[in-house]
Amino acid sequence: MTTLSGSLSRSHVELLQFFRDKTALVFTFAFPAMLLLLFGTIFGDEYNDAGVSASRVFTASMIAYGILNTAFVTMGSGLAMDREDGTLKRLRGTPMPVTAYLVGKALLVLALSLAETALLLLVGVLVFDMPLPDASHWLTFTWIFLLSVIACSLLGVAVSALVRNARNAGAILNVPVVALQFISGVFIQPMSQLPDWLVNVASIFPVRWMAQGFRYVFLPESASSQELAGSWELGKVALVLGAWCVVGLVLCLMTFRWSDSDR
């Protein structure tokens, strides 16, 4: 079995398993969209002096939450479950290389992240009349999206090694997800409302830069005045997300294990 054929085969299995779980399907896709509807409706007035509606700001920022929720939680909880029920141990005895298994998981996460992003944009366009950007902004969206998915997926793989009980994986993984949304400019805008020490903490992690990058893509240039630096800082966005991809890969290589007995 080649890595390519194994990856495609595993991704097919992962997609089938995911879409058969109606509860996971509903909560994975519905929750970020529901939050967007709530925040966008409640705080739908003009966004300070930038001349942009709050609903549009939330739509752009919530894409970061959708990716983190989908990639980090889905990857982390999925690996923890496969490890606990023996799926990983059984796969270890097959010709499928570990790379093919992880790429298959990654393809699942990529497909889910694309679908989640499309749903959030659909809500933004149909409910909040958000205009879509031009072609150049879509190119920027592509590299921010890919770096975000890769970084969050790798971190999900790494953190899954800390999960002792797969039944509690969702609760454990959602703690950092929810906390980072509040301090990274997703639920609270502008970030200048936060204490300096919280801003400094948020700046270490990728979510702040993911949200800022997506705001660049979907908001007008005037909205950059509401960012902490008064600009979009795309170079720093690329640097931080790229660094977290490297950190995530290193952590995966250090922590990945086939079964609980490998601790």
Side-chain angles (χ1 to χ4, degrees):
M1 178 180 290
T2 66
T3 299
L4 177 59
S5 63
S7 300
L8 294 176
S9 175
R10 188 63 203 177
S11 65
H12 178 69
V13 172
E14 295 288 345
L15 284 167
L16 287 177
Q17 289 179 337
F18 180 84
F19 284 105
R20 286 172 180 167
D21 187 346
K22 303 303 181 184
T23 302
L25 181 63
V26 170
F27 278 95
T28 297
F29 290 115
F31 194 59
M34 181 191 71
L35 288 178
L36 174 58
L37 284 170
L38 289 174
F39 280 107
T41 301
I42 295 171
F43 305 103
D45 297 330
E46 290 298 302
Y47 177 52
N48 292 339
D49 300 322
V52 182
S53 66
S55 57
R56 188 173 172 186
V57 176
F58 280 121
T59 300
S61 301
M62 286 291 290
I63 295 174
Y65 171 65
I67 291 174
L68 183 63
N69 182 61
T70 302
F72 180 76
V73 177
T74 299
M75 183 67 84
S77 59
L79 269 171
M81 183 63 72
D82 286 351
R83 186 178 294 116
E84 185 173 284
D85 66 12
T87 298
L88 276 176
K89 191 173 183 179
R90 290 192 296 271
L91 287 174
R92 191 178 188 180
T94 70
M96 177 180 289
V98 63
T99 304
Y101 168 79
L102 292 175
V103 171
K105 282 281 191 184
L107 290 175
L108 166 70
V109 167
L110 179 61
L112 296 180
S113 298
L114 283 169
E116 183 68 73
T117 300
L119 177 59
L120 292 171
L121 289 178
L122 188 65
V123 172
V125 171
L126 297 182
V127 180
F128 302 124
D129 298 319
M130 185 186 77
L132 294 177
D134 56 27
S136 64
H137 282 73
W138 280 114
L139 289 175
T140 303
F141 169 85
T142 300
W143 65 259
I144 295 174
F145 177 84
L146 290 176
L147 286 177
S148 299
V149 172
I150 293 170
C152 293
S153 299
L154 289 172
L155 291 173
V157 174
V159 173
S160 71
L162 302 177
V163 177
R164 300 287 180 174
N165 189 325
R167 288 174 295 179
N168 301 326
I172 294 171
L173 294 169
N174 272 298
V175 170
V177 168
V178 173
L180 285 173
Q181 306 320 305
F182 280 98
I183 68 173
S184 300
V186 176
F187 295 160
I188 298 176
Q189 272 290 325
M191 285 185 66
S192 57
Q193 301 177 66
L194 297 171
D196 290 341
W197 71 272
L198 274 181
V199 172
N200 292 333
V201 171
S203 298
I204 298 172
F205 297 98
V207 185
R208 178 214 160 165
W209 305 101
M210 290 162 58
Q212 186 167 307
F214 289 126
R215 286 196 293 272
Y216 162 79
V217 173
F218 295 103
L219 302 184
E221 186 60 34
S222 61
S224 64
S225 63
Q226 301 301 313
E227 301 297 333
L228 289 172
S231 64
W232 298 116
E233 301 181 286
L234 288 184
K236 189 174 287 187
V237 170
L239 181 63
V240 174
L241 294 183
W244 273 105
C245 288
V246 174
V247 170
L249 178 59
V250 171
L251 290 175
C252 286
L253 295 175
M254 292 173 59
T255 62
F256 181 81
R257 49 192 172 77
W258 289 96
S259 66
D260 289 332
S261 61
D262 295 334
R263 290 182 185 277

